[in-house]
Amino acid sequence: RSRAKLMTGQSVKVTFDDIAGVDEAKEELTETVAFLKDPKKFTRLGGRVPKGVLLVGPPGTGKTLLAKAIAGEADVPFFSISGSDFVEMFVGVGASRVRDLFLQAKKHAPCIIFIDEIDAVGRHRGAGLGGGHDEREQTLNQLLVEMDGFETTEGVIVVAATNRPDVLDPALLRPGRFDRQVTVPVPDVRGREAILQVHAREIPLADDVDLSLIARGTPGFSGADLENLVNEAALMAARENKDQVTMADFEAAKDKVLMGAERKSLILS
Ligand code: ATP
């Protein structure tokens, strides 16, 4: 990721309507949107608006999409960075990047800062084998300094995502830092159907396509898997010069997606 992209607050068009099957998470995040739109309304009686929201859930469940949707719904810029970007950096570079990021964000407030894979920098300090993960610790320390160093009335909300909340340094979870946690689970059967509906919105479906049947046949699929499924089905139908995507295309696509997943887990194991 280039430095330029990191520093530019993007405006995003994603809204909560683009995300399905995670209704509870959306409901909790509606509050965050309201804070961004009018922080003073909430602090009028001396309350403190949360600075940080931690989205916790397995890969591909829509954490990044939710963070973008907060920005989209509130119509504020979106600054993003990934914890893994810091992993191979020279000592000091990560910390100064974090500082720059918050500086830029404050200039463009109200806005969202999104930190994907926060566990890559936010691991429990001193937990590394062989010790001496100076760079990561400096980056994490800078992040803590920055989170303590702004007032939420400034309108910056930091959203972070992880699938490993258990390894996070407890300092990150203290009040005034990431003190809100929102769970983003793998969708259940109704969630899967809703997600299929979102991704099939712009796709011409044949009459025989039954999204609820597809939802029942795809246990364990994440939102990202389902998006992939719809996409593969549309490509299969197009390859055969059809004008509509049929149930047979979905079945063939499912085999393909499942095979891809199997190959991935073979490589990983
Ligand atoms: P990771 O942990 O791998 O970064 P993530 O939880 O951030 O994953 P996203 O990047 O938000 O997942 O999801 C990837 C893509 O999968 C999205 O762009 C979207 O197309 C689709 N998707 C995932 N979850 C959902 C959902 N709940 N509703 C609709 N689409 C979804």
Side-chain angles (χ1 to χ4, degrees):
R1 199 171 308 212
S2 79
R3 192 176 175 86
K5 182 171 170 212
L6 183 96
M7 294 310 162
T8 317
Q10 301 167 274
S11 75
V12 286
K13 288 182 187 67
V14 180
T15 69
F16 284 143
D17 284 343
D18 299 314
I19 311 168
V22 287
D23 292 344
E24 252 176 75
K26 282 203 275 188
E27 205 167 294
E28 289 180 61
L29 296 171
T30 317
E31 196 192 28
T32 312
V33 174
F35 289 148
L36 277 168
K37 281 189 168 162
D38 191 359
K40 294 214 170 65
K41 171 176 169 184
F42 292 90
T43 52
R44 195 167 58 89
L45 303 177
R48 200 168 35 77
V49 168
K51 283 184 185 176
V53 179
L54 185 65
L55 304 178
V56 176
T61 48
K63 297 181 295 298
T64 306
L65 212 53
L66 281 166
K68 283 191 176 159
I70 297 170
E73 293 278 347
D75 198 19
V76 301
F78 181 80
F79 292 83
S80 74
I81 197 166
S82 175
S84 58
D85 294 346
F86 293 118
V87 171
E88 297 290 324
M89 279 184 188
F90 293 110
V91 174
V93 175
S96 85
R97 263 196 199 187
V98 169
R99 205 176 310 122
D100 288 352
L101 177 65
F102 276 79
L103 203 67
Q104 288 299 318
K106 279 186 252 181
K107 274 191 210 155
H108 292 89
C111 68
I112 287 280
I113 294 180
F114 177 59
I115 308 175
D116 201 4
E117 299 178 62
I118 191 167
D119 42 282
V121 273
R123 264 171 201 268
H124 200 309
R125 281 167 293 185
L129 293 174
H133 287 271
D134 288 350
E135 169 51 16
R136 200 175 48 70
E137 286 197 10
Q138 278 193 18
T139 308
L140 173 57
N141 287 336
Q142 189 62 36
L143 180 61
L144 296 173
V145 166
E146 295 295 343
M147 292 214 54
D148 293 343
F150 72 91
E151 294 300 324
T152 28
T153 44
E154 292 179 58
V156 178
I157 293 188
V158 188
V159 179
T162 184
N163 46 26
R164 292 297 312 276
D166 52 308
V167 303
L168 291 183
D169 196 295
L172 276 170
L173 307 177
R174 270 189 217 132
R177 293 171 183 162
F178 294 97
D179 46 9
R180 294 274 163 118
Q181 283 202 28
V182 174
T183 309
V184 190
V186 172
D188 62 9
V189 64
R190 288 183 46 206
R192 292 198 296 276
E193 185 176 347
I195 293 171
L196 286 166
Q197 267 158 7
V198 166
H199 289 288
R201 273 191 308 217
E202 322 245 287
I203 296 202
L205 299 179
D207 285 341
D208 74 332
V209 172
D210 181 346
L211 294 181
S212 109
L213 193 63
I214 299 169
R216 270 178 275 150
T218 46
F221 274 46
S222 68
D225 297 331
L226 293 165
E227 192 246 7
N228 190 8
L229 176 73
V230 173
N231 190 54
E232 288 292 346
L235 292 178
M236 294 216 174
R239 184 181 308 144
E240 291 169 21
N241 301 312
K242 295 186 205 165
D243 293 324
Q244 291 180 317
V245 183
T246 66
M247 202 62 174
D249 297 316
F250 276 97
E251 266 143 34
K254 183 176 143 187
D255 291 340
K256 194 165 176 200
V257 171
L258 282 173
M259 249 165 38
E262 228 162 75
R263 221 175 297 133
K264 233 186 275 167
S265 64
L266 275 178
I267 291 167
L268 288 175
S269 62

